[in-house]
Amino acid sequence: MSSSRKFNMVSLIRKKREKQELSTEEIRYLIEQYTLDQIPDYQMSALLMAIYLNGLNDRESSDLTHSMLHSGVVVNLNHIPGIKVDKHSTGGVGDKLSLILAPIVAACGVPVPMISGRGLGHSGGTLDKLESIPGFNVNLDLDTYARVLEKHQLVLIGQTEDIAPADKRMYALRDVTATVECIPLIAGSIMSKKLAEGIDALVLDIKCGSGAFMKTESRAIELAERLVSIGEHFGKQTVGYITNMDQPLGRTVGNWLEVRESIESLQGKGPQDVMEVTLMLAGTMIWLGGKASSVEEGIEKSKESIRNGSAFQKFIDITAEQGGDIRYLQDPSLYPKASQTVEVTSDRDGFIGDVDSYEIGMTAVELGAGRMRKEDVIDPVAGIEFIKKHGESVKKGETIALIHTNNTGIATDSAKRVLSAIEIVSNKPHEIKMITHRIDKFGVHPIV
Ligand code: URA
């Protein structure tokens, strides 16, 4: 870190306020000095808002990512054979796909170095799910990270202090200055962390819908294009998919409930929506990792790894390696139950229509599955289980969902909240298209 203090922060803010481009040197200065604590939060906040309002072009966006990436350690995994591929999701409700696809892809011979995040607002996080397995340690240092990857072709950890520290500070500031939902800032934040992991290729799951940060298809595509262009700019093959987040994924929302559903999925009993997206992402990772000649062949290999048990065995092996108690994976019925289970029942005959996934996510947070404040402790058994899903018929008085919680005071209110988030319609609704677009360096391709 060495850029001199030749720039004046006020003039950088003014420049962006006036919709002008920031130079590579200016962006480098900004990120270096902010990471060194030489730029106060009030000036950074003003600049972030100017970026939020006036954007960054592709060049500025790549420069921002580059500076954020180099604010910390960039892991080198070149000594480990194979093309290392990771996946990133922009976050959703019931999104347990990483837990299923990472063991599948590793079982197919592609090394998966995965650095994941915690729950954020209404959306869950892979780390919180993994930590619901007693003993599972996601806090490995970077040497252990590389060693475990080499041994198992898989490693699952959380962001360390030395990976993209600029992002950590900027994200916390964006969170309290209403500048989170900004495509170039989201892209810089995601890609600086992913590029620091030591990957060679990346698959992106860009969620779109009521439970996603991107609510519309056009915004989701815009974000995907920016992410793919940054990945390719840094020499990493990057493929993105726009996937549906208008209903929670699968039948469970909540940390242990989602691990349980992931185990079932790895044993060949996964819900259709979860498996459709998982197989597309896993197949693409296996293809990018050079272990299949096409995505379709990658999908076939993924299915085979489920059929022959190697994917589930990989999940058991990595859990044991990272200190987790595998007895709960082998027999999930051993896991402690929530003290209260409340039924959500239908008040009429019909079909399950739209589900407000954001509301479902926030209800799960309130039940203890996520955090309202940073210091809140997660209750691993808290969550919501859907007995009925989109398009399924329901009779008046029938159970639609179950609320699992140890917070007995709120269970009944949460059940009402869940019921009002689920639309019951008289006619069977159209099937939801789970994957709508593929985005790669050649452009945007609608999936037919
Ligand atoms: N996830 C991230 O890592 N960063 C963002 O800015 C938004 C979602």
Side-chain angles (χ1 to χ4, degrees):
M1 291 203 183
S2 63
S3 81
S4 65
R5 303 252 203 108
K6 59 186 170 189
F7 298 106
N8 172 337
M9 194 56 192
V10 178
S11 58
L12 297 196
I13 297 169
R14 187 178 298 117
K15 230 174 148 179
K16 199 30 87 183
R17 189 194 71 192
E18 299 305 320
K19 302 189 173 63
Q20 291 167 19
E21 266 186 54
L22 298 178
S23 70
T24 302
E25 293 71 31
E26 286 168 336
I27 291 174
R28 188 184 313 138
Y29 161 83
L30 182 72
I31 299 302
E32 281 182 8
Q33 295 301 314
Y34 185 62
T35 311
L36 289 173
D37 230 350
Q38 296 302 308
I39 292 175
D41 280 349
Y42 55 81
Q43 286 188 316
M44 193 61 167
S45 305
L47 185 78
L48 289 170
M49 186 54 83
I51 293 176
Y52 179 94
L53 295 171
N54 295 328
L56 294 176
N57 64 24
D58 274 349
R59 199 267 310 146
E60 292 174 293
S61 213
S62 293
D63 285 343
L64 178 74
T65 310
H66 185 273
S67 296
M68 289 170 72
L69 167 66
H70 290 285
S71 67
V73 170
V74 181
V75 181
N76 185 335
L77 297 174
N78 288 345
H79 61 288
I80 299 175
I83 302 170
K84 283 123 232 140
V85 189
D86 191 12
K87 162 256 180 186
H88 179 82
S89 157
T90 56
V93 179
D95 181 3
K96 68 242 350 138
L97 304 192
S98 288
L99 300 186
I100 311 167
L101 65 78
I104 290 177
V105 175
C108 291
V110 176
V112 182
M114 190 173 269
I115 301 187
S116 305
R118 298 200 175 275
L120 186 67
H122 67 284
S123 72
T126 300
L127 291 187
D128 297 326
K129 299 182 218 277
L130 288 171
E131 282 183 346
S132 74
I133 304 170
F136 201 110
N137 180 12
V138 295
N139 301 311
L140 306 184
D141 61 53
L142 292 174
D143 287 338
T144 314
Y145 164 77
R147 191 181 50 71
V148 173
L149 177 68
E150 190 160 20
K151 182 170 170 197
H152 292 281
Q153 309 277 290
L154 177 59
V155 62
L156 303 163
I157 69 163
Q159 198 184 343
T160 66
E161 289 295 318
D162 26 19
I163 296 235
D167 175 60
K168 198 167 182 178
R169 293 202 57 196
M170 281 169 67
Y171 194 89
L173 194 58
R174 285 167 58 209
D175 206 17
V176 291
T177 55
T179 51
V180 169
E181 304 90 341
C182 167
I183 286 178
L185 295 177
I186 295 176
S189 165
I190 291 176
M191 294 306 282
S192 61
K193 286 175 287 199
K194 287 286 132 181
L195 294 166
E197 289 178 342
I199 51 166
D200 301 305
L202 180 64
V203 174
L204 295 159
D205 180 7
I206 296 105
K207 303 278 185 210
C208 174
S210 63
F213 284 111
M214 297 294 125
K215 307 284 181 211
T216 64
E217 198 167 89
S218 61
R219 290 276 292 166
I221 291 176
E222 200 186 326
L223 175 61
E225 287 183 301
R226 188 60 72 105
L227 292 167
V228 169
S229 130
I230 294 174
E232 294 287 340
H233 174 86
F234 283 85
K236 315 290 174 193
Q237 276 203 78
T238 310
V239 177
Y241 290 97
I242 309 293
T243 70
N244 183 276
M245 194 22 78
D246 275 326
Q247 57 162 349
L249 269 167
R251 292 193 181 267
T252 59
V253 178
N255 297 291
W256 170 253
L257 293 174
E258 293 190 47
V259 172
R260 203 188 66 195
E261 193 169 38
S262 303
I263 296 168
E264 288 161 8
S265 302
L266 285 166
Q267 293 174 331
K269 295 169 284 185
Q272 196 273 331
D273 56 346
V274 166
M275 292 319 294
E276 185 180 338
V277 183
T278 299
L279 290 171
M280 180 66 96
L281 299 173
T284 306
M285 290 172 78
I286 295 166
W287 168 67
L288 286 172
K291 297 289 178 188
S293 57
S294 63
V295 173
E296 292 67 33
E297 191 188 331
I299 291 174
E300 283 315 308
K301 288 197 168 189
S302 303
K303 288 182 183 166
E304 181 52 26
S305 76
I306 294 175
R307 271 195 295 270
N308 66 24
S310 59
F312 183 47
Q313 187 58 45
K314 186 62 78 177
F315 192 39
I316 291 185
D317 292 346
I318 197 65
T319 300
E321 178 72 39
Q322 295 193 219
D325 191 336
I326 60 169
R327 284 175 304 168
Y328 297 107
L329 306 190
Q330 288 160 331
D331 183 0
S333 71
L334 296 176
Y335 205 82
K337 306 269 178 298
S339 62
Q340 199 174 6
T341 301
V342 175
E343 293 183 5
V344 179
T345 50
S346 180
D347 50 8
R348 69 198 93 146
D349 290 355
F351 295 87
I352 307 291
D354 287 346
V355 177
D356 183 341
S357 307
Y358 175 82
E359 260 303 285
I360 298 294
M362 287 313 290
T363 310
V365 169
E366 185 184 77
L367 287 165
R371 297 177 190 80
M372 304 271 204
R373 287 160 308 176
K374 214 166 75 212
E375 57 280 8
D376 285 350
V377 177
I378 298 249
D379 178 357
V381 294
I384 303 159
E385 188 175 351
F386 292 91
I387 307 300
K388 299 279 182 182
K389 261 182 79 79
H390 184 267
E392 291 177 358
S393 68
V394 63
K395 294 248 170 292
K396 184 173 176 181
E398 232 184 327
T399 306
I400 305 176
L402 296 171
I403 306 280
H404 299 272
T405 185
N406 287 313
N407 186 348
T408 47
I410 60 163
T412 311
D413 280 350
S414 298
K416 286 190 195 136
R417 203 170 162 188
V418 168
L419 185 61
S420 55
I422 300 174
E423 196 187 32
I424 304 199
V425 293
S426 339
N427 298 318
K428 192 172 166 66
H430 290 300
E431 235 178 75
I432 291 180
K433 196 167 167 48
M434 289 308 297
I435 310 173
T436 59
H437 296 81
R438 173 191 160 105
I439 293 91
D440 59 22
K441 63 182 170 197
F442 302 110
V444 179
H445 317 279
I447 306 262
V448 281

